[in-house]
Amino acid sequence: MKQEKILVIGGTGKTGRKVAKKLNSLGHSVRIGSRNSSPSFDWEKPETWKDPIEGMDKIYITFQPDLAVPGAQKAIKGLIEEASRANIQKLVLLSGRGESEAELCEQLVVDSGIAYTIVRADWFNQNFSEGLFTEAIKVGKVAVPKANVPIPFVDTDDIADVAVTSLLNNTHDGKTYKLTGPDLWTFEDCIATIEKSLNRNIEFTAVSIDEYTEMLKAINIPDDFVWLVNYLFINVLDGRNSNTTDTIEKILGRPAKNFKEFAKEAALAGVWNKL
């Protein structure tokens, strides 16, 4: 198998670090694109993009904090220009499922003239173990809006496997994949499942969007992240994504990981040990 030189933008994040690890294990040459890597890559500093891209064959793209935020389209357009200049052969973009703003960024990749795969994913299982809800689970008190909207939570291991397969196989060129877990879960279902995995009680409260926003501000969450959380809860969690796909199984030849399996693994790993 040909050794590929692949830049993983967001290579220390939820999916990026797993993509990088899997590529390294397969013998490929991986460059991490992050603010703390060398050369540094910072989405907020376009002057840092050229050096990490130079000499690479392909790029896995995750945009922080989300492709829906203002400024994302401009950033993706600029990145594509750098990729074209450097003769990049393939782009794999991680996008959001059901986000119209993200689809505008996807279209820039589609129109780039570079081979591509778009990977659309829903809410991650790992939002509970290394994200938005982790600390609340540790202290045993979780409050969340849209508590009973069914969501096909997807695991970052599965996303990473699909991304790696897409990077390394041209049969996925020109494809847009919608990735979900195998089942629909509400936030309340998820917390109840985590309770069972931990064998301890977690207080769960359904709140309004306004109440949740005030809670985030009270613990000094940055305004841009509060905006994003509001966008996701108001514009995406309206039932439009309350369905599953079998895309992961078709691409990987194995079932997608379900939330119950994720919760057991995370509990055993100690990620929710009390503070």
Side-chain angles (χ1 to χ4, degrees), residues 132-133 136 141-145 203 205-222 226 229-230:
L132 189 59
F133 309 115
K141 293 185 178 181
V142 176
V144 66
E203 181 182 324
T205 306
V207 297
S208 69
I209 294 290
D210 289 342
E211 288 171 324
Y212 194 65
T213 298
E214 290 306 312
M215 287 168 53
L216 295 178
K217 290 180 178 179
I219 57 175
N220 298 314
I221 298 297
V226 173
V229 169
N230 270 271

PDB file of all heavy atoms in Angstrom, residues 132-133 136 141-145 203 205-222 226 229-230:
ATOM      1  N   LEU A 132     -19.555  18.547  26.269  1.00  0.00           N
ATOM      2  CA  LEU A 132     -20.502  19.464  26.889  1.00  0.00           C
ATOM      3  C   LEU A 132     -21.058  18.985  28.227  1.00  0.00           C
ATOM      4  O   LEU A 132     -21.258  19.772  29.146  1.00  0.00           O
ATOM      5  CB  LEU A 132     -21.657  19.706  25.892  1.00  0.00           C
ATOM      6  CG  LEU A 132     -22.674  20.784  26.192  1.00  0.00           C
ATOM      7  CD1 LEU A 132     -21.999  22.147  26.338  1.00  0.00           C
ATOM      8  CD2 LEU A 132     -23.726  20.825  25.091  1.00  0.00           C
ATOM      9  N   PHE A 133     -21.307  17.680  28.363  1.00  0.00           N
ATOM     10  CA  PHE A 133     -22.027  17.186  29.538  1.00  0.00           C
ATOM     11  C   PHE A 133     -21.149  16.445  30.543  1.00  0.00           C
ATOM     12  O   PHE A 133     -21.647  15.967  31.568  1.00  0.00           O
ATOM     13  CB  PHE A 133     -23.160  16.248  29.083  1.00  0.00           C
ATOM     14  CG  PHE A 133     -24.034  16.837  28.016  1.00  0.00           C
ATOM     15  CD1 PHE A 133     -24.074  16.279  26.749  1.00  0.00           C
ATOM     16  CD2 PHE A 133     -24.791  17.964  28.268  1.00  0.00           C
ATOM     17  CE1 PHE A 133     -24.871  16.828  25.750  1.00  0.00           C
ATOM     18  CE2 PHE A 133     -25.586  18.525  27.282  1.00  0.00           C
ATOM     19  CZ  PHE A 133     -25.631  17.952  26.016  1.00  0.00           C
ATOM     20  N   ALA A 136     -20.979  17.759  34.274  1.00  0.00           N
ATOM     21  CA  ALA A 136     -22.288  17.650  34.920  1.00  0.00           C
ATOM     22  C   ALA A 136     -22.566  16.212  35.348  1.00  0.00           C
ATOM     23  O   ALA A 136     -23.126  15.965  36.426  1.00  0.00           O
ATOM     24  CB  ALA A 136     -23.381  18.143  33.977  1.00  0.00           C
ATOM     25  N   LYS A 141     -25.540  16.003  38.291  1.00  0.00           N
ATOM     26  CA  LYS A 141     -26.673  16.883  38.009  1.00  0.00           C
ATOM     27  C   LYS A 141     -26.590  17.357  36.572  1.00  0.00           C
ATOM     28  O   LYS A 141     -25.692  18.120  36.209  1.00  0.00           O
ATOM     29  CB  LYS A 141     -26.686  18.092  38.953  1.00  0.00           C
ATOM     30  CG  LYS A 141     -26.967  17.750  40.405  1.00  0.00           C
ATOM     31  CD  LYS A 141     -27.079  19.006  41.236  1.00  0.00           C
ATOM     32  CE  LYS A 141     -27.415  18.669  42.690  1.00  0.00           C
ATOM     33  NZ  LYS A 141     -27.553  19.898  43.520  1.00  0.00           N
ATOM     34  N   VAL A 142     -27.525  16.899  35.740  1.00  0.00           N
ATOM     35  CA  VAL A 142     -27.534  17.243  34.323  1.00  0.00           C
ATOM     36  C   VAL A 142     -28.833  17.951  33.982  1.00  0.00           C
ATOM     37  O   VAL A 142     -29.922  17.448  34.280  1.00  0.00           O
ATOM     38  CB  VAL A 142     -27.391  15.985  33.440  1.00  0.00           C
ATOM     39  CG1 VAL A 142     -27.489  16.353  31.963  1.00  0.00           C
ATOM     40  CG2 VAL A 142     -26.081  15.275  33.740  1.00  0.00           C
ATOM     41  N   ALA A 143     -28.721  19.126  33.371  1.00  0.00           N
ATOM     42  CA  ALA A 143     -29.882  19.864  32.884  1.00  0.00           C
ATOM     43  C   ALA A 143     -29.676  20.140  31.403  1.00  0.00           C
ATOM     44  O   ALA A 143     -28.582  20.530  30.981  1.00  0.00           O
ATOM     45  CB  ALA A 143     -30.041  21.174  33.650  1.00  0.00           C
ATOM     46  N   VAL A 144     -30.723  19.932  30.613  1.00  0.00           N
ATOM     47  CA  VAL A 144     -30.561  20.078  29.171  1.00  0.00           C
ATOM     48  C   VAL A 144     -31.911  20.422  28.532  1.00  0.00           C
ATOM     49  O   VAL A 144     -32.953  19.945  28.985  1.00  0.00           O
ATOM     50  CB  VAL A 144     -29.984  18.773  28.561  1.00  0.00           C
ATOM     51  CG1 VAL A 144     -30.952  17.632  28.696  1.00  0.00           C
ATOM     52  CG2 VAL A 144     -29.567  18.957  27.117  1.00  0.00           C
ATOM     53  N   PRO A 145     -31.900  21.281  27.504  1.00  0.00           N
ATOM     54  CA  PRO A 145     -33.141  21.533  26.765  1.00  0.00           C
ATOM     55  C   PRO A 145     -33.385  20.435  25.726  1.00  0.00           C
ATOM     56  O   PRO A 145     -32.515  19.592  25.498  1.00  0.00           O
ATOM     57  CB  PRO A 145     -32.868  22.873  26.081  1.00  0.00           C
ATOM     58  CG  PRO A 145     -31.385  22.950  25.950  1.00  0.00           C
ATOM     59  CD  PRO A 145     -30.801  22.157  27.096  1.00  0.00           C
ATOM     60  N   GLU A 203     -29.116  13.248  38.743  1.00  0.00           N
ATOM     61  CA  GLU A 203     -30.322  14.083  38.691  1.00  0.00           C
ATOM     62  C   GLU A 203     -30.459  14.689  37.298  1.00  0.00           C
ATOM     63  O   GLU A 203     -29.550  15.375  36.814  1.00  0.00           O
ATOM     64  CB  GLU A 203     -30.222  15.188  39.744  1.00  0.00           C
ATOM     65  CG  GLU A 203     -31.424  16.106  39.802  1.00  0.00           C
ATOM     66  CD  GLU A 203     -31.240  17.216  40.821  1.00  0.00           C
ATOM     67  OE1 GLU A 203     -30.628  16.950  41.875  1.00  0.00           O
ATOM     68  OE2 GLU A 203     -31.682  18.345  40.549  1.00  0.00           O
ATOM     69  N   THR A 205     -32.725  17.101  34.677  1.00  0.00           N
ATOM     70  CA  THR A 205     -33.745  18.140  34.616  1.00  0.00           C
ATOM     71  C   THR A 205     -33.877  18.658  33.192  1.00  0.00           C
ATOM     72  O   THR A 205     -32.873  19.011  32.558  1.00  0.00           O
ATOM     73  CB  THR A 205     -33.386  19.328  35.538  1.00  0.00           C
ATOM     74  OG1 THR A 205     -33.136  18.840  36.855  1.00  0.00           O
ATOM     75  CG2 THR A 205     -34.513  20.347  35.562  1.00  0.00           C
ATOM     76  N   ALA A 206     -35.095  18.677  32.696  1.00  0.00           N
ATOM     77  CA  ALA A 206     -35.370  19.292  31.397  1.00  0.00           C
ATOM     78  C   ALA A 206     -35.595  20.787  31.611  1.00  0.00           C
ATOM     79  O   ALA A 206     -36.385  21.191  32.472  1.00  0.00           O
ATOM     80  CB  ALA A 206     -36.595  18.654  30.766  1.00  0.00           C
ATOM     81  N   VAL A 207     -34.877  21.612  30.845  1.00  0.00           N
ATOM     82  CA  VAL A 207     -34.979  23.067  30.993  1.00  0.00           C
ATOM     83  C   VAL A 207     -35.284  23.702  29.635  1.00  0.00           C
ATOM     84  O   VAL A 207     -35.155  23.058  28.593  1.00  0.00           O
ATOM     85  CB  VAL A 207     -33.683  23.671  31.577  1.00  0.00           C
ATOM     86  CG1 VAL A 207     -33.426  23.153  32.979  1.00  0.00           C
ATOM     87  CG2 VAL A 207     -32.486  23.386  30.668  1.00  0.00           C
ATOM     88  N   SER A 208     -35.649  24.965  29.654  1.00  0.00           N
ATOM     89  CA  SER A 208     -35.876  25.705  28.410  1.00  0.00           C
ATOM     90  C   SER A 208     -34.539  26.156  27.826  1.00  0.00           C
ATOM     91  O   SER A 208     -33.508  26.153  28.514  1.00  0.00           O
ATOM     92  CB  SER A 208     -36.764  26.919  28.665  1.00  0.00           C
ATOM     93  OG  SER A 208     -36.049  27.885  29.433  1.00  0.00           O
ATOM     94  N   ILE A 209     -34.565  26.553  26.568  1.00  0.00           N
ATOM     95  CA  ILE A 209     -33.354  27.078  25.931  1.00  0.00           C
ATOM     96  C   ILE A 209     -32.845  28.298  26.691  1.00  0.00           C
ATOM     97  O   ILE A 209     -31.639  28.438  26.939  1.00  0.00           O
ATOM     98  CB  ILE A 209     -33.630  27.456  24.459  1.00  0.00           C
ATOM     99  CG1 ILE A 209     -33.961  26.208  23.629  1.00  0.00           C
ATOM    100  CG2 ILE A 209     -32.433  28.186  23.865  1.00  0.00           C
ATOM    101  CD1 ILE A 209     -32.809  25.287  23.401  1.00  0.00           C
ATOM    102  N   ASP A 210     -33.751  29.200  27.071  1.00  0.00           N
ATOM    103  CA  ASP A 210     -33.343  30.417  27.788  1.00  0.00           C
ATOM    104  C   ASP A 210     -32.695  30.071  29.120  1.00  0.00           C
ATOM    105  O   ASP A 210     -31.671  30.666  29.500  1.00  0.00           O
ATOM    106  CB  ASP A 210     -34.544  31.330  28.010  1.00  0.00           C
ATOM    107  CG  ASP A 210     -35.033  31.982  26.729  1.00  0.00           C
ATOM    108  OD1 ASP A 210     -34.253  32.004  25.744  1.00  0.00           O
ATOM    109  OD2 ASP A 210     -36.179  32.459  26.698  1.00  0.00           O
ATOM    110  N   GLU A 211     -33.286  29.124  29.844  1.00  0.00           N
ATOM    111  CA  GLU A 211     -32.707  28.713  31.127  1.00  0.00           C
ATOM    112  C   GLU A 211     -31.325  28.109  30.933  1.00  0.00           C
ATOM    113  O   GLU A 211     -30.397  28.380  31.707  1.00  0.00           O
ATOM    114  CB  GLU A 211     -33.623  27.697  31.810  1.00  0.00           C
ATOM    115  CG  GLU A 211     -34.914  28.284  32.356  1.00  0.00           C
ATOM    116  CD  GLU A 211     -35.878  27.215  32.835  1.00  0.00           C
ATOM    117  OE1 GLU A 211     -35.935  26.124  32.209  1.00  0.00           O
ATOM    118  OE2 GLU A 211     -36.579  27.469  33.829  1.00  0.00           O
ATOM    119  N   TYR A 212     -31.180  27.317  29.886  1.00  0.00           N
ATOM    120  CA  TYR A 212     -29.889  26.676  29.621  1.00  0.00           C
ATOM    121  C   TYR A 212     -28.833  27.716  29.260  1.00  0.00           C
ATOM    122  O   TYR A 212     -27.687  27.642  29.717  1.00  0.00           O
ATOM    123  CB  TYR A 212     -30.040  25.656  28.508  1.00  0.00           C
ATOM    124  CG  TYR A 212     -28.862  24.709  28.378  1.00  0.00           C
ATOM    125  CD1 TYR A 212     -28.562  23.812  29.397  1.00  0.00           C
ATOM    126  CD2 TYR A 212     -28.048  24.714  27.250  1.00  0.00           C
ATOM    127  CE1 TYR A 212     -27.488  22.946  29.305  1.00  0.00           C
ATOM    128  CE2 TYR A 212     -26.969  23.844  27.139  1.00  0.00           C
ATOM    129  CZ  TYR A 212     -26.695  22.972  28.166  1.00  0.00           C
ATOM    130  OH  TYR A 212     -25.631  22.110  28.072  1.00  0.00           O
ATOM    131  N   THR A 213     -29.228  28.694  28.465  1.00  0.00           N
ATOM    132  CA  THR A 213     -28.305  29.763  28.088  1.00  0.00           C
ATOM    133  C   THR A 213     -27.810  30.512  29.315  1.00  0.00           C
ATOM    134  O   THR A 213     -26.610  30.800  29.444  1.00  0.00           O
ATOM    135  CB  THR A 213     -28.996  30.748  27.125  1.00  0.00           C
ATOM    136  OG1 THR A 213     -29.357  30.060  25.931  1.00  0.00           O
ATOM    137  CG2 THR A 213     -28.065  31.905  26.778  1.00  0.00           C
ATOM    138  N   GLU A 214     -28.717  30.820  30.216  1.00  0.00           N
ATOM    139  CA  GLU A 214     -28.329  31.525  31.445  1.00  0.00           C
ATOM    140  C   GLU A 214     -27.400  30.673  32.305  1.00  0.00           C
ATOM    141  O   GLU A 214     -26.462  31.182  32.933  1.00  0.00           O
ATOM    142  CB  GLU A 214     -29.574  31.927  32.237  1.00  0.00           C
ATOM    143  CG  GLU A 214     -30.392  33.028  31.578  1.00  0.00           C
ATOM    144  CD  GLU A 214     -29.578  34.260  31.243  1.00  0.00           C
ATOM    145  OE1 GLU A 214     -28.824  34.732  32.128  1.00  0.00           O
ATOM    146  OE2 GLU A 214     -29.672  34.744  30.105  1.00  0.00           O
ATOM    147  N   MET A 215     -27.631  29.359  32.319  1.00  0.00           N
ATOM    148  CA  MET A 215     -26.750  28.454  33.069  1.00  0.00           C
ATOM    149  C   MET A 215     -25.338  28.499  32.502  1.00  0.00           C
ATOM    150  O   MET A 215     -24.351  28.545  33.257  1.00  0.00           O
ATOM    151  CB  MET A 215     -27.290  27.023  32.993  1.00  0.00           C
ATOM    152  CG  MET A 215     -28.532  26.774  33.829  1.00  0.00           C
ATOM    153  SD  MET A 215     -29.307  25.181  33.419  1.00  0.00           S
ATOM    154  CE  MET A 215     -27.901  24.071  33.586  1.00  0.00           C
ATOM    155  N   LEU A 216     -25.217  28.475  31.183  1.00  0.00           N
ATOM    156  CA  LEU A 216     -23.897  28.504  30.550  1.00  0.00           C
ATOM    157  C   LEU A 216     -23.181  29.821  30.842  1.00  0.00           C
ATOM    158  O   LEU A 216     -21.983  29.836  31.129  1.00  0.00           O
ATOM    159  CB  LEU A 216     -24.037  28.296  29.039  1.00  0.00           C
ATOM    160  CG  LEU A 216     -24.562  26.935  28.574  1.00  0.00           C
ATOM    161  CD1 LEU A 216     -24.688  26.910  27.049  1.00  0.00           C
ATOM    162  CD2 LEU A 216     -23.652  25.802  29.042  1.00  0.00           C
ATOM    163  N   LYS A 217     -23.922  30.915  30.753  1.00  0.00           N
ATOM    164  CA  LYS A 217     -23.308  32.222  31.028  1.00  0.00           C
ATOM    165  C   LYS A 217     -22.857  32.325  32.478  1.00  0.00           C
ATOM    166  O   LYS A 217     -21.820  32.927  32.770  1.00  0.00           O
ATOM    167  CB  LYS A 217     -24.299  33.334  30.698  1.00  0.00           C
ATOM    168  CG  LYS A 217     -24.574  33.500  29.210  1.00  0.00           C
ATOM    169  CD  LYS A 217     -25.580  34.623  28.957  1.00  0.00           C
ATOM    170  CE  LYS A 217     -25.828  34.822  27.479  1.00  0.00           C
ATOM    171  NZ  LYS A 217     -26.824  35.898  27.216  1.00  0.00           N
ATOM    172  N   ALA A 218     -23.613  31.704  33.372  1.00  0.00           N
ATOM    173  CA  ALA A 218     -23.297  31.779  34.804  1.00  0.00           C
ATOM    174  C   ALA A 218     -21.991  31.078  35.140  1.00  0.00           C
ATOM    175  O   ALA A 218     -21.333  31.411  36.137  1.00  0.00           O
ATOM    176  CB  ALA A 218     -24.437  31.183  35.625  1.00  0.00           C
ATOM    177  N   ILE A 219     -21.607  30.097  34.321  1.00  0.00           N
ATOM    178  CA  ILE A 219     -20.328  29.410  34.568  1.00  0.00           C
ATOM    179  C   ILE A 219     -19.250  29.880  33.588  1.00  0.00           C
ATOM    180  O   ILE A 219     -18.266  29.203  33.349  1.00  0.00           O
ATOM    181  CB  ILE A 219     -20.497  27.875  34.507  1.00  0.00           C
ATOM    182  CG1 ILE A 219     -21.080  27.424  33.161  1.00  0.00           C
ATOM    183  CG2 ILE A 219     -21.362  27.396  35.652  1.00  0.00           C
ATOM    184  CD1 ILE A 219     -21.145  25.899  33.011  1.00  0.00           C
ATOM    185  N   ASN A 220     -19.485  31.087  33.016  1.00  0.00           N
ATOM    186  CA  ASN A 220     -18.494  31.789  32.200  1.00  0.00           C
ATOM    187  C   ASN A 220     -18.109  31.047  30.921  1.00  0.00           C
ATOM    188  O   ASN A 220     -16.949  31.074  30.489  1.00  0.00           O
ATOM    189  CB  ASN A 220     -17.240  32.087  33.034  1.00  0.00           C
ATOM    190  CG  ASN A 220     -17.538  32.987  34.206  1.00  0.00           C
ATOM    191  OD1 ASN A 220     -18.237  33.998  34.059  1.00  0.00           O
ATOM    192  ND2 ASN A 220     -17.026  32.639  35.376  1.00  0.00           N
ATOM    193  N   ILE A 221     -19.085  30.373  30.306  1.00  0.00           N
ATOM    194  CA  ILE A 221     -18.845  29.772  28.994  1.00  0.00           C
ATOM    195  C   ILE A 221     -18.726  30.908  27.978  1.00  0.00           C
ATOM    196  O   ILE A 221     -19.531  31.837  27.986  1.00  0.00           O
ATOM    197  CB  ILE A 221     -20.007  28.824  28.606  1.00  0.00           C
ATOM    198  CG1 ILE A 221     -20.109  27.678  29.612  1.00  0.00           C
ATOM    199  CG2 ILE A 221     -19.819  28.295  27.193  1.00  0.00           C
ATOM    200  CD1 ILE A 221     -18.904  26.776  29.663  1.00  0.00           C
ATOM    201  N   PRO A 222     -17.722  30.875  27.084  1.00  0.00           N
ATOM    202  CA  PRO A 222     -17.534  31.967  26.116  1.00  0.00           C
ATOM    203  C   PRO A 222     -18.777  32.202  25.252  1.00  0.00           C
ATOM    204  O   PRO A 222     -19.510  31.268  24.925  1.00  0.00           O
ATOM    205  CB  PRO A 222     -16.362  31.476  25.255  1.00  0.00           C
ATOM    206  CG  PRO A 222     -15.619  30.522  26.134  1.00  0.00           C
ATOM    207  CD  PRO A 222     -16.669  29.852  26.985  1.00  0.00           C
ATOM    208  N   VAL A 226     -21.673  29.713  23.513  1.00  0.00           N
ATOM    209  CA  VAL A 226     -23.085  29.819  23.890  1.00  0.00           C
ATOM    210  C   VAL A 226     -23.931  29.993  22.631  1.00  0.00           C
ATOM    211  O   VAL A 226     -24.997  29.369  22.486  1.00  0.00           O
ATOM    212  CB  VAL A 226     -23.316  30.991  24.857  1.00  0.00           C
ATOM    213  CG1 VAL A 226     -24.816  31.206  25.098  1.00  0.00           C
ATOM    214  CG2 VAL A 226     -22.611  30.733  26.187  1.00  0.00           C
ATOM    215  N   VAL A 229     -24.173  26.577  20.879  1.00  0.00           N
ATOM    216  CA  VAL A 229     -25.075  25.656  21.582  1.00  0.00           C
ATOM    217  C   VAL A 229     -26.528  26.037  21.306  1.00  0.00           C
ATOM    218  O   VAL A 229     -27.376  25.176  21.029  1.00  0.00           O
ATOM    219  CB  VAL A 229     -24.785  25.665  23.094  1.00  0.00           C
ATOM    220  CG1 VAL A 229     -25.880  24.934  23.859  1.00  0.00           C
ATOM    221  CG2 VAL A 229     -23.427  25.014  23.374  1.00  0.00           C
ATOM    222  N   ASN A 230     -26.813  27.336  21.331  1.00  0.00           N
ATOM    223  CA  ASN A 230     -28.162  27.799  21.014  1.00  0.00           C
ATOM    224  C   ASN A 230     -28.562  27.419  19.598  1.00  0.00           C
ATOM    225  O   ASN A 230     -29.673  26.945  19.351  1.00  0.00           O
ATOM    226  CB  ASN A 230     -28.263  29.314  21.193  1.00  0.00           C
ATOM    227  CG  ASN A 230     -28.677  29.709  22.589  1.00  0.00           C
ATOM    228  OD1 ASN A 230     -29.858  29.827  22.885  1.00  0.00           O
ATOM    229  ND2 ASN A 230     -27.705  29.911  23.453  1.00  0.00           N
TER     230      ASN A 230
END
